[in-house]
Amino acid sequence: MPTARMPRLTGSNFAYQHLPFDTFLDDAAALGREELELWGIAPHLHVPQVGNADVRGIRRRIEARGLAAHCLTPEQVMYPVNLASPVDWLRTQSIAMFRRAAEICAELGARKLLLTPGRGREDEPPGPAWRRSVDAIGDIAAYADTLGVTCVLEALQPVESNLVNDSRTLAAMLDEIGTPRLGAVLDTVTMAVAGESVDDAFAALGDRIRHVHLIDGRPMGHLAWGDGELPLSDYLRAFERHGYDGCMTFELFGDGTYAFDPRAAVERCDAAVRRCSTAGPGE
């Protein structure tokens, strides 16, 4: 069976939140990464707290190791952030947080800002929450565009959002927002939970897929490769077949134990991808 080419893997501080930021940077450099997806989590990079001088210092620490920021993913599921909230102050503050995140992207030199759609109340019809999400994301994407930053929108599992849970619904929201530079994120766990394949996602979204979270699951879990049951080789071959040459990130959460030794979890993911690939890192 043919193997796939080695993908562009980012370094990411997912699972590093209980270690110093410099430990993450050192590990990313040692593992041969060139680009980073930065999880905007306290204490590493808490978007409402970090100032421009802090961001410039973070960029210097990144670049001193030969790395570059590629994508900023503010924490937006565990934190009180919800672009579709019916509560005016929460929605307004959430929009302001993402607009600030776009400014941080520009300071970091990161090209992408990752957004999620939020969720409505469980006791309301989906229409009003959908409208709130569309309006908020359109506002953020337009502001980010003035800064040279492209936003990418990610579907979520039903336990995380009641608005966008699969590629077809994600495509519908992108169509309604109607901002050409707004792209899509493909998360392999969300995809698997929705019963979709990589081919299904590309059928719905095509070249609007501009970032990938490449993670194992059962099908849920956000697991290191080998800890779940998802078909990594099939996924990588499908990405190659569709000509995807963008970045992929291991978004490692699991049950929290990856945070005890995140580098080991990343190394296991690297090894799994290498086994499925024809080209080694840097080739």
Side-chain angles (χ1 to χ4, degrees), residues 49-277:
Q49 180 71 26
V50 67
N52 287 344
D54 300 316
V55 176
R56 288 191 289 271
I58 290 170
R59 182 170 182 170
R60 285 193 295 271
R61 289 152 68 190
I62 290 170
E63 293 178 347
R65 293 165 172 85
L67 303 167
H70 175 76
C71 179
L72 174 62
T73 301
E75 177 49 49
Q76 51 201 283
V77 176
M78 295 186 295
Y79 282 11
V81 177
N82 184 358
L83 293 176
S85 175
V87 179
D88 289 342
W89 69 262
L90 177 55
R91 188 174 65 258
T92 298
Q93 288 189 10
S94 299
I95 294 170
M97 188 278 288
F98 279 109
R99 287 170 69 101
R100 173 59 184 149
E103 296 168 354
I104 292 170
C105 278
E107 286 280 358
L108 288 170
R111 298 187 294 277
K112 291 186 174 66
L113 172 62
L114 191 147
L115 312 177
T116 57
R119 69 183 306 149
R121 287 199 310 257
E122 294 302 318
D123 63 349
E124 70 172 341
W130 177 275
R131 181 77 262 152
R132 294 190 295 265
S133 182
V134 164
D135 290 345
I137 292 167
D139 175 278
I140 295 160
Y143 180 65
D145 193 40
T146 68
L147 303 173
V149 173
T150 298
C151 291
V152 287
L153 182 63
E154 181 179 27
L156 296 175
Q157 299 170 68
V159 296
E160 299 166 322
S161 173
N162 54 9
L163 294 178
V164 179
N165 305 128
D166 57 37
S167 60
R168 289 168 297 177
T169 314
L170 177 54
M173 181 167 278
L174 293 178
D175 289 342
E176 188 163 340
I177 294 168
T179 302
R181 280 170 54 86
L182 179 63
V185 181
L186 194 164
D187 181 296
T188 53
V189 162
T190 300
M191 180 185 76
V193 169
E196 295 183 327
S197 67
V198 173
D199 289 336
D200 294 330
F202 274 92
L205 293 160
D207 62 5
R208 291 187 289 186
I209 297 175
R210 296 173 192 163
H211 193 60
V212 169
H213 284 162
L214 185 72
I215 33 186
D216 207 350
R218 300 194 196 101
M220 298 174 67
H222 283 73
L223 303 177
W225 287 101
D227 289 348
E229 60 189 22
L230 300 184
L232 176 60
S233 293
D234 292 348
Y235 289 172
L236 292 176
R237 287 195 299 273
F239 281 118
E240 184 170 356
R241 188 168 63 250
H242 287 282
Y244 179 77
D245 61 358
C247 287
M248 300 187 182
T249 299
F250 303 133
E251 189 185 24
L252 300 174
F253 291 121
D255 61 1
T257 56
Y258 296 140
F260 296 148
D261 189 2
R263 177 165 172 168
V266 175
E267 288 175 334
R268 286 198 289 120
C269 290
D270 281 358
V273 170
R274 280 195 298 270
R275 286 193 295 270
C276 299
S277 304

